[in-house]
Amino acid sequence: MSAHPTLPPGRFGELVGVPLPIVQGPFGGGLSSVELAATVSEGGGLGSYGAHIHTPEEITALVARLRAATGRPFAVNLWVPQEGEGRGLPAAALAEHVERLRPYYEELGVRAPEAGDVRARPDFDEQLDALLAAAPPVISLVMGPPPRRLVTEARRRGIVVVGTATTVDEAVALEQAGVDAVVASGSDAGGHRGAFLRPVRESLVGTFSLVPQVADAVPVPVVAAGGIADGRGVAAALALGADAVQIGTGFLAARESGASDVHRRALGTPRSRTTVLTRLFSGRTARGIPNGFVRDMAAHEEHVPPYPVQNALMQPIRRAAAEQGRPEYVNLWAGQAAALAHESPSAAAYLSALVEQTVKATG
């Protein structure tokens, strides 16, 4: 009987202590699950969980649940705050934004949010304190460099710190800030864009243009992310100098993810060949499959309030649409290889297929 094909861990796998150079992308907004992260970690990759909406107490409990689910390394991800976010809006301005969305509240039969429903995001410093105290094997960040105290304390505790760059300049800034590895996240990637040195529109570098430049620019391990959904993409990224790959949309299609049924069913279809960048669902720019809501509200892209206000205003619409099976009002986050991300019976089966395809593609 022949052994199952496998891949060398590479520099990143050796750094974090996993046998495969494959990372499951962290999903925010409830799309992550402990089961998904644990399944990927148990399969030899690095499972991840997006915790940016969690309170410090929830982060403490989350890390405990992940540890109970897997004895292997895993990552917990946070969003670095961006300037101008977290501030409230005057009542009159908030009312204007609510009125813009009122037809959708009424159509879906949900109550329009009031001022008290639009809460500030959890405090990042408090989230960081809780995460450092819980000490997961890996902490990953998007949308900014790590605070100095994170790097210092993580090194003391033996935690690997991973930053996310959308440009070469961001990768250099992250390495200089002390991260142990850099995720080179191309504009192909689904979900929220992590640009932090320049506006998003000036930071849209495709994955396979970005990866070799980042690999040349920084000495730390580089993880390629964006537009990778099968073994051919993994092999291409490794050939371009990546030490590992991070896959989001492909794992989002697995049954263990927190994606709604309508979201999963949209992946791997001709419809998912087209994706767009939009601020309409959260107030931060993200890539997803265009639907009726995105098209109808396109003229308001520049007028919606920033995160987390827009995110809070859209939450009842997104939830009700997912429950009612109405994809035209759901944020269908997906990368540009989404048509390759067919619904998978399990994350373990998908991970195994990725390895087999990569071995075949590399000859």
mmCIF file of all heavy atoms in Angstrom, residues 15 19 29 40 50 103 136-137 146 151 168 173 205 207 210 220 287 293 327:
data_model
loop_
_atom_site.group_PDB
_atom_site.id
_atom_site.type_symbol
_atom_site.label_atom_id
_atom_site.label_comp_id
_atom_site.label_asym_id
_atom_site.label_seq_id
_atom_site.Cartn_x
_atom_site.Cartn_y
_atom_site.Cartn_z
ATOM 1 N N LEU A 15 8.197 27.064 11.428
ATOM 2 C CA LEU A 15 8.066 28.164 12.392
ATOM 3 C C LEU A 15 6.909 27.929 13.355
ATOM 4 O O LEU A 15 7.050 28.104 14.573
ATOM 5 C CB LEU A 15 7.868 29.489 11.646
ATOM 6 C CG LEU A 15 7.513 30.719 12.493
ATOM 7 C CD1 LEU A 15 8.704 31.131 13.359
ATOM 8 C CD2 LEU A 15 7.069 31.872 11.596
ATOM 9 N N PRO A 19 2.899 20.304 9.936
ATOM 10 C CA PRO A 19 3.574 19.544 8.883
ATOM 11 C C PRO A 19 3.253 19.963 7.459
ATOM 12 O O PRO A 19 3.958 19.574 6.529
ATOM 13 C CB PRO A 19 3.110 18.103 9.135
ATOM 14 C CG PRO A 19 1.803 18.237 9.836
ATOM 15 C CD PRO A 19 1.906 19.488 10.664
ATOM 16 N N GLY A 29 -16.815 38.022 11.484
ATOM 17 C CA GLY A 29 -18.266 38.139 11.382
ATOM 18 C C GLY A 29 -19.047 36.865 11.545
ATOM 19 O O GLY A 29 -20.128 36.705 10.987
ATOM 20 N N VAL A 40 -8.762 21.593 10.438
ATOM 21 C CA VAL A 40 -7.594 21.905 9.617
ATOM 22 C C VAL A 40 -6.304 21.642 10.393
ATOM 23 O O VAL A 40 -5.345 21.063 9.862
ATOM 24 C CB VAL A 40 -7.648 23.365 9.127
ATOM 25 C CG1 VAL A 40 -6.369 23.741 8.391
ATOM 26 C CG2 VAL A 40 -8.854 23.571 8.204
ATOM 27 N N GLY A 50 -11.168 33.974 13.199
ATOM 28 C CA GLY A 50 -11.254 35.430 13.205
ATOM 29 C C GLY A 50 -12.048 35.916 14.401
ATOM 30 O O GLY A 50 -13.242 35.647 14.502
ATOM 31 N N PRO A 103 -36.200 50.349 3.309
ATOM 32 C CA PRO A 103 -36.930 49.400 2.455
ATOM 33 C C PRO A 103 -36.477 47.951 2.654
ATOM 34 O O PRO A 103 -37.295 47.023 2.556
ATOM 35 C CB PRO A 103 -36.607 49.887 1.040
ATOM 36 C CG PRO A 103 -36.303 51.349 1.196
ATOM 37 C CD PRO A 103 -35.611 51.449 2.512
ATOM 38 N N PRO A 136 -2.504 31.818 22.586
ATOM 39 C CA PRO A 136 -2.633 30.819 21.515
ATOM 40 C C PRO A 136 -1.279 30.627 20.842
ATOM 41 O O PRO A 136 -0.408 31.499 20.957
ATOM 42 C CB PRO A 136 -3.640 31.470 20.561
ATOM 43 C CG PRO A 136 -3.419 32.938 20.755
ATOM 44 C CD PRO A 136 -3.125 33.102 22.223
ATOM 45 N N PRO A 137 -1.063 29.531 20.137
ATOM 46 C CA PRO A 137 0.233 29.317 19.484
ATOM 47 C C PRO A 137 0.591 30.410 18.482
ATOM 48 O O PRO A 137 1.762 30.758 18.346
ATOM 49 C CB PRO A 137 0.054 27.957 18.787
ATOM 50 C CG PRO A 137 -1.004 27.263 19.581
ATOM 51 C CD PRO A 137 -1.941 28.347 20.016
ATOM 52 N N PRO A 146 1.720 45.221 14.151
ATOM 53 C CA PRO A 146 1.486 44.881 15.560
ATOM 54 C C PRO A 146 2.018 45.956 16.477
ATOM 55 O O PRO A 146 3.076 46.549 16.214
ATOM 56 C CB PRO A 146 2.289 43.582 15.727
ATOM 57 C CG PRO A 146 3.419 43.724 14.759
ATOM 58 C CD PRO A 146 2.822 44.433 13.560
ATOM 59 N N VAL A 151 4.508 42.381 20.204
ATOM 60 C CA VAL A 151 5.699 41.649 19.770
ATOM 61 C C VAL A 151 6.547 41.243 20.973
ATOM 62 O O VAL A 151 6.990 40.094 21.088
ATOM 63 C CB VAL A 151 6.523 42.511 18.788
ATOM 64 C CG1 VAL A 151 7.844 41.835 18.458
ATOM 65 C CG2 VAL A 151 5.721 42.776 17.517
ATOM 66 N N VAL A 168 4.142 45.559 -1.080
ATOM 67 C CA VAL A 168 5.516 45.292 -0.646
ATOM 68 C C VAL A 168 5.898 46.226 0.496
ATOM 69 O O VAL A 168 6.536 45.811 1.479
ATOM 70 C CB VAL A 168 6.499 45.439 -1.829
ATOM 71 C CG1 VAL A 168 7.935 45.235 -1.351
ATOM 72 C CG2 VAL A 168 6.165 44.445 -2.929
ATOM 73 N N ALA A 173 7.187 47.117 6.284
ATOM 74 C CA ALA A 173 6.801 47.758 7.551
ATOM 75 C C ALA A 173 6.488 46.716 8.616
ATOM 76 O O ALA A 173 6.845 46.885 9.792
ATOM 77 C CB ALA A 173 5.596 48.672 7.326
ATOM 78 N N VAL A 205 -2.776 44.894 -5.487
ATOM 79 C CA VAL A 205 -1.758 44.137 -6.208
ATOM 80 C C VAL A 205 -2.185 42.675 -6.244
ATOM 81 O O VAL A 205 -2.482 42.087 -5.202
ATOM 82 C CB VAL A 205 -0.381 44.264 -5.529
ATOM 83 C CG1 VAL A 205 0.692 43.569 -6.370
ATOM 84 C CG2 VAL A 205 -0.029 45.722 -5.285
ATOM 85 N N THR A 207 -2.167 38.640 -6.335
ATOM 86 C CA THR A 207 -1.369 37.713 -5.522
ATOM 87 C C THR A 207 -0.075 37.294 -6.192
ATOM 88 O O THR A 207 1.006 37.331 -5.584
ATOM 89 C CB THR A 207 -2.204 36.468 -5.183
ATOM 90 O OG1 THR A 207 -3.396 36.871 -4.492
ATOM 91 C CG2 THR A 207 -1.410 35.504 -4.307
ATOM 92 N N LEU A 210 2.369 40.047 -6.279
ATOM 93 C CA LEU A 210 2.799 40.466 -4.948
ATOM 94 C C LEU A 210 3.776 39.485 -4.302
ATOM 95 O O LEU A 210 4.783 39.899 -3.709
ATOM 96 C CB LEU A 210 1.561 40.637 -4.056
ATOM 97 C CG LEU A 210 1.789 41.091 -2.613
ATOM 98 C CD1 LEU A 210 2.402 42.489 -2.579
ATOM 99 C CD2 LEU A 210 0.472 41.072 -1.841
ATOM 100 N N VAL A 220 11.698 37.140 6.494
ATOM 101 C CA VAL A 220 10.842 36.218 7.245
ATOM 102 C C VAL A 220 9.994 35.382 6.284
ATOM 103 O O VAL A 220 9.835 35.728 5.108
ATOM 104 C CB VAL A 220 9.925 36.992 8.214
ATOM 105 C CG1 VAL A 220 10.750 37.739 9.250
ATOM 106 C CG2 VAL A 220 9.009 37.947 7.453
ATOM 107 N N ARG A 287 -14.188 42.009 -0.605
ATOM 108 C CA ARG A 287 -14.488 41.392 -1.900
ATOM 109 C C ARG A 287 -15.545 40.298 -1.733
ATOM 110 O O ARG A 287 -15.430 39.440 -0.862
ATOM 111 C CB ARG A 287 -13.230 40.784 -2.531
ATOM 112 C CG ARG A 287 -13.500 40.164 -3.919
ATOM 113 C CD ARG A 287 -12.228 39.640 -4.579
ATOM 114 N NE ARG A 287 -11.293 40.704 -4.910
ATOM 115 C CZ ARG A 287 -11.421 41.528 -5.947
ATOM 116 N NH1 ARG A 287 -12.479 41.407 -6.771
ATOM 117 N NH2 ARG A 287 -10.531 42.468 -6.188
ATOM 118 N N PHE A 293 -28.476 43.514 -3.745
ATOM 119 C CA PHE A 293 -28.217 44.617 -2.832
ATOM 120 C C PHE A 293 -27.022 45.442 -3.293
ATOM 121 O O PHE A 293 -27.076 46.678 -3.323
ATOM 122 C CB PHE A 293 -27.977 44.082 -1.420
ATOM 123 C CG PHE A 293 -27.695 45.158 -0.413
ATOM 124 C CD1 PHE A 293 -28.727 45.896 0.147
ATOM 125 C CD2 PHE A 293 -26.395 45.457 -0.035
ATOM 126 C CE1 PHE A 293 -28.470 46.917 1.062
ATOM 127 C CE2 PHE A 293 -26.124 46.456 0.880
ATOM 128 C CZ PHE A 293 -27.168 47.187 1.427
ATOM 129 N N PRO A 327 -30.163 35.033 -0.975
ATOM 130 C CA PRO A 327 -28.774 35.440 -1.232
ATOM 131 C C PRO A 327 -28.622 36.859 -1.757
ATOM 132 O O PRO A 327 -27.523 37.405 -1.722
ATOM 133 C CB PRO A 327 -28.301 34.422 -2.268
ATOM 134 C CG PRO A 327 -29.541 33.932 -2.942
ATOM 135 C CD PRO A 327 -30.585 33.935 -1.865
#
